């Protein structure tokens, strides 16, 4: 009898130019927003209030940008990272259109890079993933690369192809949501008075608060995004018998913690780079800090752009620490994320 179950893709299953259409379409609702705000201390006003969003030129409050990211990402897991050893990085991510309750999202990925590792047991796969809504509008695109196991260690290595990826998005390539206007931005309601001119390149911000990661919450979040990676649920999938916390859970936690000091970094529009520097496990207490990398103007009224490095680390590590003298991430650094956000000028 032919097997009907899916054991996932292995390194030798991928080829350059291959396009993978991922199942299953997902219609989002206000339920995802409520659950997201229950899981994370998310308080950015433009995602919390229709009235606030209308004052900013939008028809209603869109869903949090990372809801769109996790939904699009989760669709790719059965085909891209079910047999992954590690999710290594992100680049060239652009949020192209706000996602609203009632939108249905689908994902597809194109293989843009392959490189077998020297051990012959694993290889790195680069994919460019695109998320579309029910109208065929692209809402999100990004490149990520993962280390994937080989099914057969004797399978021949493919020709090495490594994509040429931009170190950061040019601010001119950021897409501003249609109608967005921060000229009448309500700082009293947003939670903080700080605007773009209050920040300086090189400035570092300690976001102060911490959250202890719980096993049940991270598994609930990962299931919500329909992420099926074994290492997040099955304690036998790792030699140490521990469930690995989904990296997206740490991204959302750090972004939510960054509200304290960056409340008006209102919308994420670009993802320049990202690394899950070290694994996170239940019981770890996570804190976050940010560094201002760049500042830019946009053509939208009252809207500027701020480029931020967001770092999540375990409590106990020295604040603003990142890498050692050897250039490697320090062991308590969990996330290093470089992104563009929109902020009132």
């Amino acid at each position: 009898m032919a097997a009907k179950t899916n054991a996932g893709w292995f390194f030798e299953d991928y080829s350059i130019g291959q396009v993978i259409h991922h199942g299953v379409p997902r219609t989002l609702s206000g339920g995802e927003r409520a659950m997201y705000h229950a899981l994370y201390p998310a308080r950015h006003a433009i995602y919390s209030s229709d009235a606030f969003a209308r004052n900013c030129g939008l028809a209603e409050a869109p869903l949090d940008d990372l809801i769109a990211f996790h939904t699009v990402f989760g669709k790719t897991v059965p085909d891209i990272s079910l047999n992954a050893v590690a999710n290594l990085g992100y680049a060239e991510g652009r949020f192209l259109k706000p996602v609203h309750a009632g939108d249905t999202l689908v994902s597809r990925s194109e293989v843009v890079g392959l490189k077998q590792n020297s051990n012959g047991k694993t290889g790195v796969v680069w994919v460019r993933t695109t998320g579309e809504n029910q109208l065929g509008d692209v809402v999100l695109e990004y490149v990520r690369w993962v280390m994937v196991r080989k099914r057969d260690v004797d399978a021949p290595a493919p020709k090495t192809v490594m994509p040429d990826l931009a170190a950061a998005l040019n601010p001119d390539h950021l897409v501003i949501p249609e109608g967005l206007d921060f000229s009448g931005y309500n700082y009293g309601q947003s939670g903080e008075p700080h605007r773009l001119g209050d920040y300086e390149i090189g400035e570092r911000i300690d976001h102060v608060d911490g959250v202890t990661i719980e096993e049940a919450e991270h598994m609930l979040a990962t299931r919500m995004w329909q992420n099926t990676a074994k290492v997040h649920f099955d304690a036998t999938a790792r030699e140490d018998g521990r469930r690995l916390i989904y990296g997206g859970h740490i991204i959302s936690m750090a972004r939510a913690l960054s509200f304290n000091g960056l409340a008006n970094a209102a919308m994420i529009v670009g993802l320049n780079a990202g690394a899950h520097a070290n694994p996170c496990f239940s019981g770890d207490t996570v804190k976050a800090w940010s560094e201002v990398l760049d500042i830019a103007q946009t053509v939208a009224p009252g809207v500027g752009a701020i480029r931020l490095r967001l770092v999540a680390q375990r409590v106990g590590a020295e604040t603003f620490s990142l890498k050692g003298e050897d250039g490697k991430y320090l062991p308590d650094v969990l996330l290093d994320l470089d992104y563009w956000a929109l902020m009132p000028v």
Side-chain angles (χ1 to χ4, degrees):
M1 182 180 293
K4 293 183 174 64
T5 54
N6 175 25
W9 294 46
F10 292 86
F11 180 68
E12 58 264 43
D13 296 327
Y14 299 97
S15 59
I16 296 296
Q18 185 178 24
V19 177
I20 305 165
H21 294 271
H22 308 293
V24 174
R26 174 75 176 266
T27 301
L28 298 169
S29 72
E32 277 82 2
R33 189 201 312 269
M35 183 63 74
Y36 188 86
H37 288 206
L39 288 166
Y40 311 106
R43 292 181 285 160
H44 289 89
I46 205 162
Y47 298 114
S48 300
S49 165
D50 286 339
F52 190 94
R54 283 194 289 269
N55 187 58
C56 294
L58 304 180
E60 62 183 358
L63 297 178
D64 296 67
D65 34 49
L66 290 176
I67 290 178
F69 176 79
H70 294 317
T71 302
V72 170
F73 182 100
K75 306 268 149 266
T76 72
V77 170
D79 304 317
I80 304 300
S81 48
L82 195 64
N83 293 308
V85 178
N87 189 39
L88 299 176
Y90 308 94
E92 296 185 358
R94 294 197 303 160
F95 293 77
L96 300 170
K97 190 177 184 66
V99 172
H100 296 271
D103 282 348
T104 297
L105 301 186
V106 295
S107 303
R108 70 176 184 272
S109 297
E110 179 184 357
V111 179
V112 296
L114 291 170
K115 181 180 183 297
Q116 180 166 301
N117 291 328
S118 58
N119 62 13
K121 299 178 180 179
T122 58
V124 179
V125 180
W126 285 261
V127 295
R128 185 178 298 276
T129 294
T130 301
E132 293 183 355
N133 64 18
Q134 69 280 5
L135 301 175
D137 298 326
V138 177
V139 301
L140 171 68
E141 63 182 12
Y142 62 89
V143 174
R144 75 162 168 141
W145 50 104
V146 295
M147 186 186 302
V148 181
R149 295 180 179 89
K150 292 184 70 175
R151 179 189 293 106
D152 177 8
V153 295
D154 295 323
K159 178 183 177 181
T160 295
V161 176
M162 298 180 65
D164 183 17
L165 300 173
L169 295 169
N170 188 305
D172 293 338
H173 294 162
L174 303 176
V175 176
I176 312 302
E178 184 177 354
L180 191 69
D181 183 344
F182 284 166
S183 56
Y185 195 86
N186 191 325
Y187 293 92
Q189 292 185 353
S190 71
E192 287 181 352
H194 315 304
R195 62 188 71 202
L196 194 66
D198 296 325
Y199 296 90
E200 297 180 357
I201 295 173
E203 179 180 357
R204 290 179 170 183
I205 303 159
D206 180 359
H207 299 302
V208 180
D209 307 304
V211 173
T212 300
I213 302 298
E214 301 289 347
E215 199 81 87
E217 289 179 351
H218 104 81
M219 287 192 292
L220 178 63
T222 311
R223 289 191 185 102
M224 183 162 71
W225 315 125
Q226 299 176 323
N227 181 334
T228 57
K230 300 178 181 68
V231 291
H232 303 317
F233 304 107
D234 184 349
T236 68
R238 288 174 52 92
E239 292 182 359
D240 60 8
R242 306 173 77 184
R243 299 180 183 94
L244 182 69
I245 303 299
Y246 165 45
H249 192 61
I250 303 305
I251 291 175
S252 280
M253 189 64 72
R255 161 70 171 163
L257 290 172
S258 75
F259 179 91
N260 189 353
L262 284 167
N264 296 319
M267 306 180 77
I268 296 177
V269 287
L271 184 60
N272 299 304
H276 299 290
N278 287 288
C280 180
F281 298 101
S282 175
D284 288 343
T285 298
V286 176
K287 294 186 68 176
W289 58 270
S290 293
E291 179 182 2
V292 179
L293 300 179
D294 201 358
I295 289 171
Q297 302 298 319
T298 79
V299 297
V303 179
I306 185 168
R307 181 182 169 194
L308 298 161
R309 161 175 264 162
L310 174 61
V311 177
Q313 60 186 43
R314 294 183 184 91
V315 164
E318 183 181 350
T319 303
F320 305 132
S321 60
L322 188 66
K323 296 181 179 181
E325 294 181 358
D326 58 1
K328 296 181 179 180
Y329 286 107
L330 296 172
D332 286 323
V333 174
L334 304 173
L335 172 72
D336 182 9
L337 190 72
D338 179 342
Y339 71 100
W340 281 103
L342 301 180
M343 178 179 280
V345 299

